[in-house]
C-alpha cells in the first residue's frame, strides 16, 4: 500500500505543476487573472479554497497558485503531496535505492523552500517545469532501481491510477463546461 501511494503522490505533484504551467501560459498577459478558478473546480476544492482565502476577491491568480503549489496546509498542493510522498518513501527506506531517496529529499526541499519570486508570473513556468522534471526523474529512478516485485507493481498501479484520475477530472470539468454552455476561461 505504501508503494501505491508513493506512486500516486509523485505523479500528482508532476500533474499539478503541469496544470499550473499550462494555465500560466494561457493566462500570460491577462490583466484580470480570473481564469484560475477552473483548477479549483477540477479538484472540487472551491469551498476549501474560499474558506482559506475568502470568496470575495480571493480567487486571484496569486492565491490559486499559492494554494496549488506551496500551501503546506492544503493536502492537494504540490508541497503537501511531496511531503506525503516523502513520508511514504521514509517507510520504504530499506527497500528503495539511495538515488531515489536523495532525489525525493532534493525535490521536497526545493519545493518547500521556494522563494516568493519563484512563483511570480515571470518565473512560474520555469518553476513548474523544474518540479515536473524532478518528479519525472523520480519516476525514472524508480523504473531503474526498484525491485521487480509486488511493491513495484503497486507503485506502477499508483502512478497509473493517478493519471486516470487526472484525466477523468479534466474530462468531467470540460464536459460540464460544454454542456452548460458557459464560456469558461482556461485551456481549451
Amino acid at each position: 500500500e505504501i508503494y501505491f501511494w508513493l506512486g500516486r503522490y509523485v505523479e500528482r505533484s508532476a500533474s499539478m505543476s503541469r496544470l499550473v504551467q499550462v494555465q500560466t501560459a494561457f493566462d500570460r498577459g491577462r490583466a484580470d487573472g480570473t481564469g484560475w478558478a477552473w483548477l479549483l473546480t477540477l479538484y472540487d476544492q472551491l469551498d476549501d479554497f474560499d474558506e482559506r482565502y475568502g470568496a470575495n476577491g480571493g480567487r486571484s491568480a496569486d492565491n490559486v497558485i499559492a494554494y496549488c503549489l506551496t500551501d503546506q496546509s492544503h493536502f492537494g498542493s504540490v508541497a503537501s503531496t511531496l511531503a506525503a510522498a516523502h513520508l511514504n518513501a521514509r517507510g520504504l527506506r530499506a527497500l528503495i535505492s539511495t538515488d531515489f531517496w536523495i532525489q525525493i529529499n532534493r525535490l521536497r526541499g526545493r519545493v518547500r523552500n521556494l522563494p516568493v519570486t519563484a512563483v511570480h508570473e515571470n518565473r512560474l513556468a520555469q518553476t513548474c517545469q523544474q518540479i515536473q522534471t524532478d518528479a519525472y526523474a523520480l519516476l525514472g529512478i524508480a523504473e531503474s532501481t526498484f525491485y521487480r516485485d509486488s511493491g513495484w507493481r503497486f507503485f506502477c498501479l499508483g502512478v497509473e491510477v493517478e493519471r486516470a484520475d487526472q484525466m477523468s477530472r479534466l474530462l468531467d470539468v470540460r464536459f460540464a463546461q460544454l454542456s452548460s454552455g458557459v464560456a469558461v476561461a482556461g485551456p481549451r
Side-chain angles (χ1 to χ4, degrees):
E1 184 179 347
I2 295 174
Y3 277 105
F4 175 81
W5 286 105
L6 178 61
R8 281 200 77 168
Y9 291 140
V10 171
E11 180 62 29
R12 189 175 299 169
S13 66
S15 179
M16 179 59 86
S17 61
R18 186 172 42 255
L19 289 171
V20 171
Q21 184 181 24
V22 166
Q23 181 59 30
T24 300
F26 181 76
D27 203 52
R28 189 167 303 280
R30 291 178 132 182
D32 60 0
T34 57
W36 288 84
W38 79 274
L39 281 174
L40 304 173
T41 303
L42 179 66
Y43 291 98
D44 194 26
Q45 297 173 339
L46 284 168
D47 293 337
D48 182 59
F49 179 86
D50 287 344
E51 284 179 27
R52 293 171 193 257
Y53 294 91
N56 299 330
R59 294 184 188 167
S60 68
D62 290 339
N63 287 347
V64 174
I65 291 165
Y67 184 76
C68 291
L69 290 182
T70 60
D71 189 338
Q72 301 272 345
S73 63
H74 166 51
F75 70 92
S77 72
V78 171
S80 292
T81 301
L82 287 172
H86 182 267
L87 187 63
N88 280 283
R90 185 183 309 156
L92 296 169
R93 183 62 193 103
L95 301 172
I96 60 175
S97 67
T98 302
D99 292 335
F100 190 90
W101 182 247
I102 289 169
Q103 180 65 17
I104 199 163
N105 279 305
R106 183 179 297 141
L107 175 55
R108 179 176 175 240
R110 188 175 291 148
V111 170
R112 187 176 49 195
N113 299 316
L114 277 176
V116 175
T117 57
V119 293
H120 187 268
E121 181 180 358
N122 296 337
R123 292 196 50 218
L124 184 58
Q126 179 182 357
T127 299
C128 290
Q129 182 62 49
Q130 185 62 54
I131 293 168
Q132 290 171 61
T133 301
D134 288 346
Y136 296 150
L138 269 173
L139 294 174
I141 292 168
E143 171 84 27
S144 299
T145 64
F146 278 20
Y147 294 115
R148 295 303 189 261
D149 57 6
S150 60
W152 167 248
R153 289 189 286 282
F154 274 104
F155 181 84
C156 290
L157 180 64
V159 170
E160 295 302 325
V161 165
E162 186 62 29
R163 287 178 182 166
D165 182 55
Q166 295 294 327
M167 183 56 68
S168 68
R169 287 175 184 276
L170 285 167
L171 291 172
D172 187 43
V173 167
R174 188 62 186 146
F175 284 128
Q177 291 171 349
L178 292 173
S179 68
S180 69
V182 176
V184 177
R188 303 270 184 241

